[in-house]
Amino acid sequence: MIVIMKAQAQMRDISAVISRIEDAGYKVHLSEGDERTIVGVIGDGRPLDRDQLERMPGVERCVPVLKPFKLASRDFKPNDTTFPIGNHMVGNKEIVLMAGPCSVESRSQILETAHAVKEAGAHILRGGAFKPRSSPYAFQGLGEEGLKYLAEAREQTGLPIVTEVMEPAMVPLVCEYADILQIGARNIQNYALLHAVGESQHPVLLKRGMSSLMEEWLMSAEYILSHGNTRIMLCERGIRTFEKYTRNTFDINAIPVIKQLSHLPIIADPSHATGKWEYVAAAAKASVAAGADGLIIEVHPRPEEALSDGVQSLKPKRFAQLVVEMKAIAEAVNRKIS
Ligand code: PEP
Ligand code: MN
């Protein structure tokens, strides 16, 4: 349930409502909007008398939230969630561009790519140091060495870093280096990891699982939110269908649907969504037109030599061209890529 306070409610009215709810054994999450405060009632407690709550000073009305996700829902927080990453506000009018290789492969590779994507207009550098690979025999990433190279790339370019964390025990280490923690598609229901990332209070890029319903994806976000971490970006990276010509099927529907259901920013990953570099630009441009708040795109200076996902990686020159095209589309839909 949520308790919607009147626009003119006083702090003491809000405090009284919070005490009443907590006394009944629930947890409270506050959503402080420009106009009014919404008090979210979370958890299992004794039945609350809705009429009584509605008679309290400053309360406008109580609304049951029937969706399984509460804190992630627009009912609880009508306004878009925005937060800064580096010099950028995520979730605002401006679309944020993350780019870089699938994996950090060497110091020179990540430094070269970082400078190239910055030059092309990226705002955030991506690169996996811990890689979730389908085969145990495939390149597993450079681990902490890779994180160090990413930090050096940030120092040289000023680009904040997004990189994947795969297990709860690694969260403190990855937080030391990363500006954004990526939770990969394979880990979206790793609840211990969601818990640890929620506690970390670090910004999160939460990929959709390859077979996740949008509701399950939002429930994963709910885990992170329930630990007080509100800086979450949801990332559509394609889902598994019967189609074989592409690696995944890009569910562009997720962009407007998530926008309607949730206040959290939505990012598109056209690289994993298509799996072939030839299709990345089309999916990327469609994402901008559909209202994505950002994109994460794999770029490699020599895709043919890449240790992972070379087939779907753009060369820096193509990425630069794509940025120019996306800028025009962004303007047409009243957004901006700076
Ligand atoms: C990646 O970003 O390189 C990655 C492994 O993505 P996903 O978890 O979406 O497969
Ligand atoms: Mn990849």
Side-chain angles (χ1 to χ4, degrees):
M1 182 167 72
I2 56 174
V3 182
I4 301 172
M5 303 299 295
K6 290 183 176 146
Q8 64 274 23
Q10 303 290 308
M11 205 43 235
R12 62 169 182 278
D13 302 334
I14 300 170
S15 304
V17 168
I18 293 174
S19 303
R20 173 73 61 91
I21 295 166
E22 286 180 341
D23 288 349
Y26 295 90
K27 269 187 149 176
V28 162
H29 284 261
L30 282 188
S31 160
E32 279 156 308
D34 295 339
E35 269 192 21
R36 61 184 78 237
T37 296
I38 297 178
V39 183
V41 183
I42 303 289
D44 268 335
R46 291 184 296 286
L48 275 168
D49 187 325
R50 197 170 145 186
D51 289 340
Q52 262 182 19
L53 269 175
E54 282 183 337
R55 284 199 299 273
M56 290 180 76
V59 173
E60 186 167 291
R61 64 182 192 282
C62 299
V63 182
V65 179
L66 300 175
K67 298 184 186 83
F69 48 91
K70 317 275 181 202
L71 303 175
S73 75
R74 273 226 188 255
D75 303 335
F76 173 58
K77 187 171 182 293
N79 298 331
D80 290 345
T81 285
T82 64
F83 51 88
I85 300 281
N87 303 324
H88 261 265
M89 279 307 270
V90 177
N92 248 1
K93 192 173 170 184
E94 292 206 7
I95 294 171
V96 67
L97 300 182
M98 314 181 201
C102 179
S103 303
V104 180
E105 298 166 0
S106 68
R107 180 173 174 272
S108 61
Q109 173 248 16
I110 193 66
L111 293 179
E112 179 184 355
T113 315
H115 285 284
V117 297
K118 181 176 182 181
E119 181 74 12
H123 311 115
I124 294 173
L125 177 66
R126 69 148 287 149
F130 296 97
K131 293 303 301 177
R133 304 305 301 281
S134 301
S135 163
Y137 311 118
F139 176 61
Q140 305 285 311
L142 295 180
E144 187 172 3
E145 188 189 347
L147 295 177
K148 288 186 172 151
Y149 297 152
L150 281 167
E152 192 178 345
R154 172 177 51 207
E155 227 166 80
Q156 288 192 14
T157 59
L159 296 178
I161 287 161
V162 54
T163 195
E164 180 159 354
V165 60
M166 297 204 301
E167 49 179 309
M170 287 297 185
V171 171
L173 175 76
V174 179
C175 281
E176 271 181 46
Y177 295 92
D179 300 279
I180 305 166
L181 302 175
Q182 176 174 324
I183 297 191
R186 292 157 188 80
N187 260 323
I188 187 175
Q189 287 181 320
N190 179 340
Y191 296 113
L193 181 63
L194 297 173
H195 179 122
V197 162
E199 298 264 293
S200 79
Q201 305 301 323
H202 231 67
V204 182
L205 181 82
L206 180 65
K207 295 252 193 150
R208 181 180 186 177
M210 53 188 90
S211 312
S212 299
L213 299 175
M214 291 189 223
E215 190 167 290
E216 291 165 333
W217 183 19
L218 288 167
M219 290 309 286
S220 295
E222 189 82 11
Y223 264 88
I224 300 171
L225 288 163
S226 69
H227 292 285
N229 186 353
T230 56
R231 292 185 291 171
I232 303 171
M233 292 169 261
L234 298 166
C235 178
E236 165 61 43
R237 45 79 74 206
I239 49 176
R240 181 163 287 188
T241 68
F242 48 79
E243 181 50 61
K244 293 197 293 185
Y245 278 104
T246 50
R247 178 178 180 182
N248 290 296
T249 295
F250 182 32
D251 186 6
I252 198 157
N253 295 346
I255 297 171
V257 173
I258 292 291
K259 278 260 164 252
Q260 184 181 57
L261 293 174
S262 180
H263 50 86
L264 294 171
I266 173 93
I267 307 295
D269 175 348
S271 307
H272 293 86
T274 59
K276 290 187 184 155
W277 70 265
E278 300 96 304
Y279 310 139
V280 168
K285 288 184 275 188
S287 309
V288 174
D293 296 301
L295 289 101
I296 181 163
I297 298 176
E298 288 186 340
V299 177
H300 195 291
R302 287 165 297 281
E304 62 286 357
E305 291 172 17
L307 297 181
S308 62
D309 288 350
V311 204
Q312 65 193 35
S313 298
L314 296 182
K315 290 182 182 165
K317 222 171 132 189
R318 280 192 191 274
F319 173 65
Q321 177 58 34
L322 173 58
V323 173
V324 173
E325 292 167 11
M326 288 193 295
K327 281 185 178 175
I329 294 170
E331 258 181 46
V333 294
N334 199 26
R335 301 292 290 265
K336 194 166 177 253
I337 298 178
S338 61

